[in-house]
Amino acid sequence: MRRPNDTIPHPAGFILVGFSEWPRLEMVLFVAISIFYIMTLLGNTAIIILSYLDPRLHTPMYFFLANLSFLDLCYTTSTVPQMLVNIQSKERSITFVGCVAQLLIFLGLGSTECVLLSIMAFDRYVAICQPLRYTVIMHSRLCHQLAIVAWVTGFSNSLIQTVLTLQLPRCGHYRLENFFCEVPAMLLLSCADTWVNEVEMYAAVVVIKVIPVGLILFSYANIAWAVLKIQSSEGRKKAFNTCGSHLLVVIMFYGSAISGYAYMAPKSKSAKLKGKLLALFYGLITPMLNPLIYTLRNKDVKAATKRLLGREQEHGWSMT
């Protein structure tokens, strides 16, 4: 039987242990994370602005890319500011409401990105394998519907997992072995059997991560087959450049996110550090690299940037 105070939160909410066991590392991380966060904000904001202002980027590919950039902005902002505050603070606390909000938002955005990346792979599949029907298939209405499906699916999964996790009794435990609130860390606080929650969590991993990965592999298998049929080397190069950026983003995001489950219940100090660094990678580094990958390998984005900067210069000269 549960005790009456099993689910009463600590007065200060929760303690986020983070990297407090490595004080020297924390100082280095504070500087690095601050720089990476600023780069994430600038890079993803630039993608959103370019996609909105340049008519030549009003295509399905850049519509989904703008969604990804907005998602990454929210994704990092849900954890990084709190992390930077805690590194400089001795308390390292987060309120109960703040932890619940962080848990819901971070998991929802992460789940949405999994689905969105599979939709972006489908868009590339249609563009390369059925180029003559691309504009007919990927019309504006379908793009908006697919984006809505991604966001609804992601936050539905997050809501279910958050509710199930918060129902577990914690029996006064409130120290989270991470720098943000997430489901695996919250499960470790429970003083009851978490078997049902773990089964549900792994089922969600199958639906949110494994199935989208399968769809991505199916899309790229067909893309690879189509590219091999292209006679000209120039055509192959163009097709590779079109898909290379997205494929690299997929590998980074899914690779680090899935690897993180290997350290879900770490026992050794080194395993704890590896798990936290992996969480930091897919929670901050990947969103920072996404706009760099897409802009460095994409002629359309480069051209749109030059046009926008040229327009601003002309406007400035006309004002003088």
Side-chain angles (χ1 to χ4, degrees):
M1 175 180 276
R2 291 184 183 181
R3 293 178 294 181
N5 64 343
D6 274 351
T7 56
I8 297 176
H10 183 260
F14 295 94
I15 301 297
L16 299 174
V17 176
F19 297 94
S20 58
E21 297 178 6
W22 302 273
R24 292 183 179 179
L25 177 62
E26 274 196 322
M27 292 299 100
V28 176
L29 285 175
F30 180 82
V31 176
I33 290 170
S34 299
I35 295 172
F36 292 156
Y37 183 52
I38 292 171
M39 291 177 66
T40 301
L41 294 179
L42 294 176
N44 285 288
T45 302
I47 293 290
I48 295 171
I49 292 173
L50 286 173
S51 300
Y52 177 76
L53 293 180
D54 196 310
R56 299 185 189 183
L57 299 185
H58 292 177
T59 63
M61 176 180 174
Y62 294 104
F63 169 75
F64 293 124
L65 180 56
N67 268 266
L68 180 64
S69 294
F70 176 72
L71 188 153
D72 283 340
L73 278 176
C74 300
Y75 194 54
T76 53
T77 303
S78 67
T79 58
V80 173
Q82 179 73 47
M83 188 197 321
L84 293 175
V85 169
N86 285 348
I87 289 177
Q88 293 295 304
S89 171
K90 294 181 179 180
E91 295 183 0
R92 303 176 185 277
S93 63
I94 184 172
T95 64
F96 178 76
V97 174
C99 185
V100 172
Q102 192 177 75
L103 181 67
L104 179 67
I105 294 170
F106 186 81
L107 179 58
L109 293 170
S111 301
T112 301
E113 182 159 354
C114 292
V115 181
L116 185 61
L117 288 174
S118 66
I119 293 172
M120 294 174 74
F122 171 73
D123 172 67
R124 293 299 85 208
Y125 159 75
V126 177
I128 292 176
C129 297
Q130 301 188 44
L132 298 179
R133 299 182 59 201
Y134 179 67
T135 55
V136 177
I137 297 174
M138 299 302 296
H139 52 81
S140 177
R141 183 179 177 184
L142 178 62
C143 292
H144 283 86
Q145 288 173 340
L146 289 174
I148 291 171
V149 167
W151 286 90
V152 171
T153 303
F155 275 90
S156 296
N157 169 61
S158 177
L159 182 61
I160 293 170
Q161 290 204 52
T162 299
V163 170
L164 290 176
T165 302
L166 293 175
Q167 287 179 341
L168 291 170
R170 291 180 293 276
C171 303
H173 301 145
Y174 53 87
R175 288 175 58 86
L176 285 168
E177 279 290 344
N178 212 328
F179 53 85
F180 64 96
C181 296
E182 64 169 354
V183 172
M186 295 287 285
L187 292 182
L188 294 176
L189 298 184
S190 177
C191 55
D193 187 7
T194 61
W195 180 81
V196 174
N197 296 74
E198 290 176 11
V199 169
E200 190 280 331
M201 184 174 66
Y202 283 112
V205 168
V206 172
V207 174
I208 298 297
K209 292 184 178 178
V210 177
I211 292 178
V213 166
L215 294 174
I216 291 170
L217 292 176
F218 174 80
S219 296
Y220 275 102
N222 283 277
I223 289 171
W225 182 252
V227 169
L228 290 175
K229 293 181 179 179
I230 298 175
Q231 299 296 326
S232 66
S233 58
E234 186 65 28
R236 290 184 181 183
K237 184 179 179 181
K238 184 178 179 181
F240 176 77
N241 288 335
T242 302
C243 301
S245 300
H246 177 258
L247 190 57
L248 183 57
V249 168
V250 167
I251 292 171
M252 288 195 308
F253 178 78
Y254 278 104
S256 57
I258 293 175
S259 298
Y261 281 88
Y263 300 95
M264 191 177 71
K267 296 180 180 180
S268 67
K269 194 172 181 180
S270 61
K272 286 181 183 180
L273 180 60
K274 289 178 182 178
K276 291 173 183 178
L277 290 176
L278 275 171
L280 186 63
F281 186 87
Y282 69 76
L284 176 61
I285 307 301
T286 300
M288 180 204 70
L289 292 177
N290 285 352
L292 292 177
I293 292 169
Y294 279 106
T295 53
L296 290 176
R297 296 182 58 87
N298 194 301
K299 294 180 180 179
D300 293 337
V301 175
K302 291 179 181 178
T305 304
K306 291 179 180 178
R307 285 194 296 269
L308 182 62
L309 293 176
R311 193 186 309 165
E312 290 296 326
Q313 288 179 356
E314 291 176 3
H315 179 70
W317 291 334
S318 64
M319 291 292 289
T320 56

